[in-house]
Amino acid sequence: QSALTQPRSVSGSPGQSVTISCTGTSSDVGGYNFVSWYQHYPGKAPKLMIYDVNKRPSGVPDRFSASKTGNTASLTISGLQAEDEADYFCCSYAGSYSLVVFGGGTKVTVL
Amino acid sequence: EVQLVESGGGLVQPGGSLRLSCAASGLTLSSYWMHWVRQAPGKGLMWVSRISLDGYKTNYADSVKGRFTVSKDNAKNTMYLQMDSLRAEDTAVYYCTGESPGDRVDFGYWGQGTLVTVSS
């Protein structure tokens, strides 16, 4: 069982929006503004999509946005495109001992 | 272009050892904290270990402490993970990843992973 809880799958039609939740505790997600999100195509290297809760690295489309409320972080993909079909996982700083914890990953399917 | 290429994975019996390598190009390992992260089949990611810029500071997840050793050769721009006393639960894809610079806690650089299977 992963430290952070994500839905196993979400789906949407092209052009729609989907939101992925990532629920932790006050010791990780709720305690720090160091939540990041990654896009992962099977067999490929994961790609950083969001860092520091809601910041996008250069090159990441602004269709990807994120936020955090309490112990739950969220990633929203707006204007869903076929190329967005991938696994997405969240990550949070969890203190100097545990360092970081990850979510179990969410498969996004474009219908 | 940054590339991290893992190698050394394979099938090993319980109790055996394996050494993973992570060769970097386009990124100087002496300038980054580097980590190993793994994903067991059907499971989420799990942080395994990290090593400091100069290679003198290391940290490990409790589940691998005392069995795994991370190291790096900055001259070869390569990081290693020596895995001893392997258990079935260590079966996973192991990813080499580089921590983003600055006052951040995220991973801007990833390899494609190498599969380790521990089975008799």
Side-chain angles (χ1 to χ4, degrees), chain A residues 18 63 97:
Chain A
V18 294
R63 302 185 293 102
Y97 187 77

Side-chain angles (χ1 to χ4, degrees), chain B:
Chain B
E1 181 193 5
V2 172
Q3 270 202 314
L4 298 175
V5 179
E6 303 94 336
S7 61
L11 175 64
V12 61
Q13 292 188 340
S17 297
L18 216 53
R19 189 176 87 150
L20 306 183
S21 299
C22 169
S25 58
L27 177 151
T28 303
L29 292 194
S30 60
S31 299
Y32 294 87
W33 282 84
M34 296 297 295
H35 301 246
W36 288 97
V37 172
R38 71 186 185 187
Q39 184 173 28
K43 305 290 186 183
L45 290 163
M46 189 196 92
W47 175 78
V48 173
S49 178
R50 75 167 178 175
I51 187 165
S52 61
L53 282 66
D54 58 12
Y56 287 108
K57 301 185 189 70
T58 58
N59 299 92
Y60 300 92
D62 284 346
S63 58
V64 307
K65 201 173 293 183
R67 300 187 299 121
F68 288 13
T69 303
V70 61
S71 61
K72 65 198 291 198
D73 185 334
N74 285 337
K76 293 183 178 179
N77 217 28
T78 301
M79 177 175 67
Y80 305 97
L81 185 67
Q82 176 66 40
M83 303 186 296
D84 299 318
S85 303
L86 282 161
R87 306 167 181 167
E89 53 264 36
D90 296 318
T91 294
V93 175
Y94 284 74
Y95 294 97
C96 157
T97 174
E99 193 175 310
S100 297
D103 189 20
R104 290 165 53 171
V105 185
D106 56 78
F107 304 105
Y109 313 100
W110 292 77
Q112 293 187 327
T114 185
L115 176 63
V116 172
T117 303
V118 184
S119 175
S120 54

Side-chain angles (χ1 to χ4, degrees), chain A residues 5-51:
Chain A
T5 301
Q6 295 182 235
R8 292 193 73 91
S9 64
V10 298
S11 61
S13 299
Q16 288 186 331
S17 295
V18 294
T19 296
I20 303 168
S21 60
C22 169
T23 301
T25 69
S26 57
S27 297
D28 38 65
V29 174
Y32 308 95
N33 287 322
F34 290 126
V35 177
S36 51
W37 290 89
Y38 303 85
Q39 178 187 62
H40 188 205
Y41 297 107
K44 303 292 187 184
K47 176 185 176 183
L48 176 67
M49 304 299 283
I50 296 285
Y51 67 96

